[in-house]
Structure formats: C-alpha cells, structure tokens
Amino acid sequence: MQIMKWPAVILIILALSTVAISHAQEIEPGPPAKIVSKTYDVRSLCMPVPDYPLPASMLPTDDRSAARQRERDPQGPEGSGELSPMSIAKLIAATVAPESWKDAGGVQGKVAEFQGMLVITQTEANHQKIADLLAQLKADLRRTVRIEATWVLLSAKELNGLQHVAGHESLVEVPDEALKAAKVYCRAQTIGFSGQVVHLATNAKRAYVAEVTPVAQGNVVTYDPRFATANSGVSLQMKPQLNGDQSGVVIDLYSIVTEAPEGSRLDLTHATTRPAGGNADPTALQLMNVLQQQFRTTVSMPLRTNVLIGGITMEPDAKAEPARQLYLVLRGEADKK
C-alpha cells in the first residue's frame, strides 16, 4: 500500500478548507438593512385644481344653458381623479418593493397619514425610490404652462407673407418682428396648470332700448320700453395640455370677439317708463348692431413659437375697403423638466 506523503495531505486539507470557507461566505447573509421612518409632504399633489370656464353671462345664448349647469355643479361628476394622501400611499406600495410592505406580508414597510403628510417606514434604498417617484409625480401633474394670446388685424399681403412652422406644414408661424409690426386688436396672457381650464375676458356693457310695447290710454298711445344690455369685448377660454416631453402643447380653445357700437335711433314719443338712474332716452328705440366673431378649435402646436390659430373677416358684407381681417395668434411657454 502506497502511503501519501504529508505535504500532499496538508495541501489537500488546506484546499478543502478554503472551499468550505468561501462557500460559507457566499451563503452567510449580511447585516440587515437599516429601517428608518421619514415624512413626505404630499399636500401640493392632493390640492384640488379647479377649472375656470367662461361665466354663462359672457357666452352666446346657445351656450348659456350648459354653462349654467356647470356653474351649479362646479365639482363635476364623482371620480374626477383627484389624488388623496392614501391613494398616493397605495401607489407607492404597489410600485416600490411591493413585497416589503407589512400589509402585503412583508416585514419592513409601513405607512401612515397625518394632516396631508405621509409617514413612511422603509429601508434607505426604498426611501430613495419613494422620493424619486414623488418628484416624478410633481413634475408631471403640477406642470405650469403660460399662454400668450394676441388678436391682430392682418392685411392680405401680411397674411400671404407668413411661412409654415418648421416641421409642421399645417401650422403658420408669425415671427416676432411681424407680430410687433402688426396692428394689435387685443393682447392677453395667462398661466395655469397643464390640463386646467382657464379664461380671460374683457367686456363692456352698453344699455339700450331693445323693444317697446304700445300702451293705449283712450285716444292716446304711449310706449313702454324694455331695456337690455349688449356686451362688447374679447373673451377666451383655453385648456392647454403639455405633451410628455414638453416640446409642444395641445390647446382646446373658444374665442369670442364682440363689438356693439352705437346704433341708430328710432324716435318715439310719450314713453311711460324710465330706467332708474339710467341715461338712456326712453323716447327712442335704439337699434343696436352687434358684431361677433367666435370660433372653437383644438390644436397641437410647438412651444416657444407664435402660431396663427385662425380668424375671419369681421364684416364680410362691409362696403369699407379693405375689410378687417382679425386673427388669433397663440404662443405657449413651459418650464423644462
């Protein structure tokens, strides 16, 4: 029988010991992750963002009924998608280490709500994921957009000299120089959240005698006038929605331009009533000519570009030359992510 030499035996024992130690190191768990509690203020995410559509009194008659219904029910139907602290907590538990939460059978995570804030117990690594998620929600859901609106009077020559927006053959760009040189009818701007309905309006009300009712008193006929008011001004309702990469915006809009110049008068006599504190002459039927331009559309346009949205001849049958061509130009601006 051959006897193995001692140096060889020692080498084999040392090799087996090294393998055993290495294997033990691989399966031996490291120290448990440190569990800490942190507070997250989510009140800005949960704050309701109301819409501000045009009041019914500023709309044409055909649109007032639906607008008054919205005014009676400003919150709209249930389930509008507003966030609450606990809905955010459910989102966090569903997307950040779902198996680690105690409600799901885990041993690490738990969450409690206190006055609009979330108190979360988790590992440091998961806290970082939670912070990243909340930052992303705030960046996406609380993006602000500024819209500049300019109504301009353009001649046919000025209109024909405009070029298409680069990469958008359906859109017409109005360069800054051309916009400054154009005759401005009205200018406005507003800022709001992406997806929020906002409006701008400037209106003057003019009282006039709308109709008269003959009143017979013996052999004498007098007139009982009915007074009305005519709006004159510009109104714009918009809902801008930024796209995902914030290179452009989709705008749903409603533009109304109304002019109510002084009309002619039909003289009457012996009117029986007079408006309290009013200056209108009840002995004359004021013939009010109301001129209105309105259009609605939804357009997708790039940011930081003056885009010609649309327009129309203000008085198509007017004898004056040249006829006034009123156009709306919009420009959108938003913070970069």
Side-chain angles (χ1 to χ4, degrees):
M1 182 177 65
Q2 184 178 3
I3 300 175
M4 184 178 294
K5 297 181 178 180
W6 278 108
V9 172
I10 294 173
L11 289 174
I12 292 173
I13 293 173
L14 290 174
L16 292 174
S17 300
T18 302
V19 171
I21 293 172
S22 175
H23 181 67
Q25 288 177 343
E26 289 178 0
I27 64 174
E28 182 180 353
K34 185 179 180 181
I35 307 297
V36 295
S37 295
K38 293 186 179 182
T39 301
Y40 296 89
D41 190 345
V42 295
R43 287 174 292 186
S44 63
L45 278 172
C46 300
M47 179 179 177
V49 179
D51 289 330
Y52 299 101
L54 281 167
S57 60
M58 294 184 178
L59 296 173
T61 304
D62 294 343
D63 297 325
R64 290 178 184 174
S65 177
R68 289 194 176 101
Q69 178 62 37
R70 288 194 301 269
E71 290 174 354
R72 288 191 292 268
D73 183 23
Q75 299 301 322
E78 294 183 2
S80 57
E82 290 183 359
L83 292 174
S84 67
M86 292 316 297
S87 67
I88 295 176
K90 290 180 180 179
L91 177 64
I92 292 172
T95 56
V96 177
E99 73 288 346
S100 69
W101 300 91
K102 291 187 176 181
D103 289 344
V107 296
Q108 297 174 337
K110 62 179 181 178
V111 58
E113 186 264 337
F114 177 72
Q115 295 185 355
M117 295 180 287
L118 296 179
V119 181
I120 299 178
T121 301
Q122 261 292 0
T123 64
E124 285 286 4
N126 288 336
H127 272 300
Q128 184 58 55
K129 295 178 182 178
I130 293 169
D132 293 342
L133 175 62
L134 293 177
Q136 186 65 43
L137 286 176
K138 291 179 180 179
D140 289 339
L141 299 179
R142 290 296 181 261
R143 294 182 293 172
T144 56
V145 55
R146 179 167 59 89
I147 302 295
E148 300 175 3
T150 309
W151 290 261
V152 293
L153 294 166
L154 297 176
S155 66
K157 181 179 180 181
E158 291 171 326
L159 190 63
N160 293 333
L162 300 177
Q163 303 294 323
H164 293 291
V165 176
H168 301 270
E169 291 301 316
S170 63
L171 301 179
V172 175
E173 181 178 2
V174 183
D176 291 338
E177 296 76 14
L179 194 60
K180 292 177 182 179
K183 185 177 181 181
V184 175
Y185 183 91
C186 183
R187 193 190 306 272
Q189 66 173 299
T190 185
I191 188 170
F193 285 120
S194 175
Q196 183 183 22
V197 177
V198 296
H199 80 266
L200 299 158
T202 173
N203 280 282
K205 295 183 179 293
R206 185 189 300 275
Y208 67 98
V209 179
E211 63 178 327
V212 292
T213 302
V215 179
Q217 296 180 350
N219 295 328
V220 178
V221 177
T222 59
Y223 299 93
D224 184 13
R226 181 180 67 84
F227 292 88
T229 58
N231 293 328
S232 180
V234 176
S235 302
L236 178 64
Q237 177 179 297
M238 296 180 294
K239 181 180 179 179
Q241 180 73 56
L242 292 169
N243 60 20
D245 60 2
Q246 292 198 6
S247 63
V249 60
V250 176
I251 304 177
D252 182 77
L253 66 95
Y254 185 11
S255 172
I256 307 170
V257 177
T258 306
E259 293 181 353
E262 184 77 24
S264 58
R265 290 169 176 257
L266 176 63
D267 291 333
L268 303 172
T269 58
H270 308 296
T272 59
T273 60
R274 182 180 297 271
N279 297 321
D281 182 4
T283 64
L285 176 60
Q286 188 170 351
L287 304 178
M288 182 64 66
N289 298 317
V290 177
L291 178 64
Q292 187 174 87
Q293 180 208 73
Q294 58 173 297
F295 67 88
R296 309 181 194 189
T297 189
T298 304
V299 61
S300 176
M301 52 180 275
L303 293 174
R304 296 173 286 278
T305 304
N306 304 320
V307 177
L308 185 71
I309 301 300
I312 197 171
T313 304
M314 284 294 289
E315 300 168 275
D317 60 347
K319 296 180 181 179
E321 292 292 342
R324 292 185 300 162
Q325 307 284 336
L326 183 62
Y327 289 88
L328 174 61
V329 178
L330 294 183
R331 180 185 181 92
E333 301 280 353
D335 295 332
K336 295 182 180 180
K337 281 189 176 183

